[in-house]
Amino acid sequence: MSNEPTYGHGKICYIEVPSSNIARSAAFFSTVFNWQIRTRDDGSVSFDDGIGGVSGVWRLGLKPSMSAEMLISIMVDDAAATLELITANGGKVVESIGRHLPEITARFTDPTGNLWGIYQHRG
């Protein structure tokens, strides 16, 4: 599998994530989701998701996104194992697996309070 993104009209490609501690956020997402972390020429810490399809950056001075009005979910191979990694690395499970059965989903907050979802793919 290539780590080069697929380009195309309408693709979600970039997100900005609030963080009160960028080093902690980077360590969390690198450990739990295999995000690739890099420092840009301007000194900002950015990331590429686990397959290199979505990039982004952490931003200081923004309030955590704690509402499910717009929720970003991260695809995982094993939701139960991922929830264990989340809690072991400073995140908090706020919705266990089971709410959207037969889909395997859950929700968590990262160490700086942002609300995320996980989705276990069936492939």
Side-chain angles (χ1 to χ4, degrees):
M1 179 178 290
S2 170
N3 277 351
E4 293 297 317
T6 301
Y7 298 100
H9 180 80
K11 178 192 183 313
I12 295 173
C13 64
Y14 187 83
I15 58 175
E16 293 186 7
V17 181
S19 178
S20 59
N21 184 325
I22 292 174
R24 186 172 186 202
S25 294
F28 175 83
F29 284 95
S30 175
T31 300
V32 176
F33 297 106
N34 298 321
W35 287 9
Q36 299 303 304
I37 310 304
R38 54 193 157 77
T39 302
R40 296 180 179 165
D41 291 341
D42 68 0
S44 61
V45 177
S46 61
F47 60 84
D48 296 305
D49 70 0
I51 64 164
V54 177
S55 296
V57 67
W58 287 282
R59 296 277 183 223
L60 295 171
L62 302 175
K63 293 186 296 184
S65 176
M66 298 168 45
S67 167
E69 292 174 10
M70 182 168 167
L71 183 70
I72 298 172
S73 290
I74 302 169
M75 190 173 287
V76 300
D77 293 329
D78 182 332
T82 301
L83 292 178
E84 289 179 15
L85 277 173
I86 287 168
T87 57
N89 287 280
K92 180 181 176 187
V93 176
V94 297
E95 181 182 288
S96 298
I97 298 167
R99 181 173 178 204
H100 299 106
L101 292 174
E103 302 301 330
I104 302 170
T105 65
R107 293 181 181 176
F108 71 95
T109 54
D110 66 25
T112 60
N114 294 296
L115 179 66
W116 299 81
I118 59 169
Y119 170 79
Q120 180 177 317
H121 59 82
R122 297 182 188 189

